[in-house]
Amino acid sequence: MIAGLTWLLAFQVLGEVIVRLLDITVPGPVVGMLLLFVFLRVRRYGDDGSIVRAGSALLRHLQLFFVPAGVGIVVYLGMLRDHALPIAASLLGSWLIGLAVVGWTAVGLERLLGKPHDDLPGPAGEEAP
Amino acid sequence: MRGDELLDLARSPLVLLLITLGGYQAGRWLQRRTGGHALAQPVLPAIAAAGIAITVLDVDYADYRSATELIAFWLGPATVALAIPLHRQADRLKGFVVPLLVAIVAGAVTSIVTAVLIARALGADEQLEKTLSAKAATTPVAIALTQSLGGIPPLAAVFAISIGIVSAITAPAVLNLLRIRDRRARGLAVGAVSHGIGASRMLREDETEGAFAGLAMGLSALAISLLVPVLALVLF
């Protein structure tokens, strides 16, 4: 467990160093994630390794770790109320448009490349049960 | 003055940590009791418990934040650990790499731009637009991005969680309406716009959908991180 956590912290530090050296606004942990992904791929890292065990343990409780950030909502309740319409419309509208764009782009390109899938039961064009 | 001493104790990091962990445990219990219902995210009871506690005890948010640094610290290493599910699912990609990458990038651009423009059209200020821009990314990434952009990180967290819950409840039905029938594309779309909370719903629907949603969550976090700073130059 400690060995795995050490590796995860090392990759995070590496990410923070790169972000500072390149002076970019990408969060350090995200760069760390990318580096760790490359590392796991190159090493063909197995499921029983210390990084996977420590990392999976952390990921099981990912939601706990953003509770302190989320509690900050109490400071902004007034702002949420005052801007309820733009917030709700932006969240829902952007979500729906994003969902359609990702889904249709993937399906459209598959069709172009000649490898379409139709995984749902029932003839195409009907509502799936 | 026993009362004062008790109040000091109640405002100590020890008790604030206990309340936070207790709220989270209550949330996990609720999630199990409801058979994993999409609304029953453990983070919600935890935020509610801690939020009510600091309001009643009259603790400044800044003090609560430093008292619970012990918990918040692990957000960074946990974000790094998102590479693990990505690594496990990388083998499922054969024959789908190009549609996947193009769709993820197109989705990231669309999510960011539409979130900002819709908010602007309805009269939001720039700080709020910035806070909305990264809402499709997984919560830790949305928080970090909003911070470096000059938005409001706690609100970004709440936005990301809220849209995740909406998606977890409605996405399968909406995908049917949109006539998206390839399970890989379905998972991809949900993971790209509603990260881990959406992905957990797809995992219960179907293993392939769940795996691709998880993969899309990781790749989108990356794409959104890279694109938000670039698009910010144009949008703000």
Side-chain angles (χ1 to χ4, degrees):
Chain A
M1 184 71 185
I2 295 300
L5 286 179
T6 309
W7 276 105
L8 290 174
L9 289 183
F11 274 100
Q12 188 183 348
V13 169
L14 203 57
E16 300 285 1
V17 169
I18 290 177
V19 164
R20 280 167 180 71
L21 284 181
L22 298 180
D23 197 19
I24 46 178
T25 44
V26 179
V30 175
V31 176
M33 171 181 86
L34 182 66
L35 296 171
L36 177 60
F37 175 68
V38 173
F39 175 82
L40 296 174
R41 286 272 94 194
V42 170
R43 292 283 293 265
R44 297 172 193 282
Y45 204 86
D47 275 356
D48 51 352
S50 64
I51 300 179
V52 169
R53 277 183 288 132
S56 304
L58 284 183
L59 288 178
R60 254 199 305 286
H61 297 292
L62 182 59
Q63 291 203 354
L64 171 63
F65 305 140
F66 48 76
V67 171
V71 172
I73 184 84
V74 295
V75 181
Y76 297 101
L77 284 176
M79 185 173 186
L80 271 184
R81 208 175 31 239
D82 294 345
H83 300 275
L85 175 69
I87 290 172
S90 163
L91 286 177
L92 290 173
S94 163
W95 168 77
L96 181 62
I97 297 169
L99 195 70
V101 165
V102 177
W104 286 338
T105 307
V107 171
L109 282 172
E110 278 184 281
R111 217 164 274 162
L112 267 179
L113 299 169
K115 283 173 276 193
H117 270 220
D118 188 342
D119 298 321
L120 297 188
E126 271 180 29
E127 290 303 307
Chain B
M1 298 297 276
R2 290 190 67 117
D4 282 358
E5 280 171 26
L6 273 178
L7 197 57
D8 282 344
L9 178 63
R11 289 170 176 158
S12 68
L14 176 66
V15 170
L16 292 175
L17 279 170
L18 175 65
I19 292 169
T20 307
L21 283 173
Y24 177 70
Q25 289 297 348
R28 297 216 305 153
W29 176 82
L30 212 64
Q31 191 178 39
R32 277 195 304 274
R33 280 298 299 267
T34 57
H37 191 277
L39 272 175
Q41 299 294 330
V43 65
L44 295 176
I47 289 178
I52 291 169
I54 66 169
T55 309
V56 170
L57 295 169
D58 198 21
V59 175
D60 277 346
Y61 172 63
D63 293 337
Y64 170 79
R65 190 68 178 73
S66 56
T68 50
E69 188 54 38
L70 200 61
I71 296 175
F73 172 80
W74 294 103
L75 197 53
T79 306
V80 174
L82 287 171
I84 294 166
L86 213 56
H87 166 59
R88 281 185 175 158
Q89 289 147 20
D91 290 333
R92 293 174 184 262
L93 281 178
K94 291 187 188 83
F96 196 60
V97 174
V98 173
L100 178 130
L101 290 179
V102 175
I104 291 287
V105 172
V109 172
T110 314
S111 292
I112 298 163
V113 173
T114 53
V116 171
L117 293 186
I118 292 173
R120 184 172 299 168
L122 294 169
D125 60 18
E126 187 173 309
Q127 198 181 29
L128 189 54
E129 291 171 18
K130 285 179 173 167
T131 308
L132 283 158
S133 64
K135 62 102 183 57
T138 183
T139 312
V141 174
I143 292 171
L145 271 173
T146 306
Q147 193 141 37
S148 45
L149 206 60
I152 307 164
L155 272 187
V158 172
F159 292 164
I161 296 163
S162 316
I163 205 59
I165 292 173
V166 170
S167 194
I169 296 169
T170 61
V174 174
L175 287 168
N176 290 345
L177 285 175
L178 294 170
R179 308 257 162 100
I180 297 165
R181 304 172 57 85
D182 179 336
R183 291 205 187 277
R184 296 179 301 183
R186 290 168 68 90
L188 200 65
V190 173
V193 295
S194 54
H195 52 90
I197 300 177
S200 66
R201 164 72 195 263
M202 298 316 270
L203 196 58
R204 273 205 307 283
E205 294 280 305
D206 179 85
E207 199 202 326
T208 308
E209 289 183 354
F212 273 86
L215 187 65
M217 169 186 79
L219 291 174
S220 290
L222 206 61
I224 292 171
S225 304
L226 295 171
L227 285 165
V228 159
V230 178
L231 291 172
L233 297 176
V234 186
L235 288 168
F236 301 116

